[in-house]
Amino acid sequence: MVADDLFKALADPTRRTILDELTQKSGQTLFEICARLSMKHQLGISRQGVSQHLAVLEAAGLVETRREGRYKFHDLNTAPLRRIADRWLAPHPSGPEENTP
Amino acid sequence: MKIHLTSVFVDDQAKAERFYTEILGFVKKHDVPLGETDRWLTVVSPDELDGTELLLEPAGHPAVKPYRDALVQDGIPVAQFAVDDVRAEFERLIALGVRFTQEPLEMGPVTTAVFDDTCGNLIQIATKPQ
């Protein structure tokens, strides 16, 4: 996972809100994520817009999608966050890896 | 103008009749043969026998499947029914084996949940606005 994708994904407040909501409950449909953004956060954003945010989060490895029969659910994956935090909180003795400028 | 009838496409009208009456508790209003296999099949709420009818319409048209597949994949319901208590209704339907794609979600004054009607659709239940 390229760190740039991760920082870019986290740089947007709407995407951080999506992660907040997935932290409360993993395994949400696109419809549920849209409902939470509009009803709980008063974010007037189209389904297509939410889809695009989810694609960015998925590219960064923070969201994973899972097909279950005819439904598609979105799950949170916090593993990439641990890796970027460890860079400063628990640095490797030999210094940062070359691919994480 | 009044909304006196709306419809959902169903894969199998006999199966839909059972689900919408026996599981959801609606009452059959009209059942008229239409062509060789189809029926004009409508149900109403037991609380409003003269209220809005829901037509359980055959899903034979080729546009129906891709339309519904795309909606179901994204968790989007095709209809909304009002209940007094979404959580109680959720528990009741879960006990009857109904599959939910969205568990009861409280958002301010409104609570909603979304389930599969086993006939190809997702249905939303919501508390009545106060």
Side-chain angles (χ1 to χ4, degrees), chain A residues 21 25 27-32 35-36 39-40 47 51 67-68 70-74, chain B residues 68-69 72-77 99 101-103 105 107 110 114 116 120-122 124:
Chain A
E21 290 301 322
K25 185 183 161 292
Q28 294 181 34
T29 62
L30 173 64
F31 180 78
E32 179 168 358
R36 286 169 179 257
M39 298 291 290
K40 288 177 70 179
R47 269 187 199 130
S51 267
R67 290 298 294 262
E68 228 181 278
R70 301 173 69 211
Y71 328 121
K72 187 166 99 177
F73 294 104
H74 300 81
Chain B
R68 289 201 303 180
D69 284 350
V72 170
Q73 172 172 312
D74 284 342
I76 300 170
R99 174 76 160 88
T101 61
Q102 183 205 298
E103 293 183 6
L105 178 60
M107 295 172 291
V110 182
V114 179
D116 190 322
N121 309 296
L122 296 179
Q124 182 171 60

Side-chain angles (χ1 to χ4, degrees), chain A residues 13-31:
Chain A
T14 300
R15 289 198 284 273
R16 293 197 295 273
T17 303
I18 292 173
L19 295 179
D20 289 339
E21 290 301 322
L22 286 173
T23 304
Q24 290 195 5
K25 185 183 161 292
S26 214
Q28 294 181 34
T29 62
L30 173 64
F31 180 78

Side-chain angles (χ1 to χ4, degrees), chain A residues 71, chain B residues 19 23 90-100 115-116 118:
Chain A
Y71 328 121
Chain B
F19 186 87
I23 305 287
F90 168 77
E91 301 292 350
R92 187 186 79 81
L93 292 173
I94 283 284
L96 292 171
V98 174
R99 174 76 160 88
F100 277 75
F115 65 83
D116 190 322
T118 72

Side-chain angles (χ1 to χ4, degrees), chain B residues 7-19:
Chain B
S7 67
V8 293
F9 291 109
V10 296
D11 293 328
D12 176 334
Q13 284 188 299
K15 186 179 177 185
E17 180 184 343
R18 286 195 298 277
F19 186 87

Side-chain angles (χ1 to χ4, degrees), chain A residues 2 4 13-14 30 35 43 46-47 49 53 55 57-59 62 64 74:
Chain A
V2 182
D4 281 351
T14 300
L30 173 64
L43 290 170
S46 69
R47 269 187 199 130
H53 282 307
L57 290 167
E58 197 174 349
L62 292 167
E64 291 175 348
H74 300 81

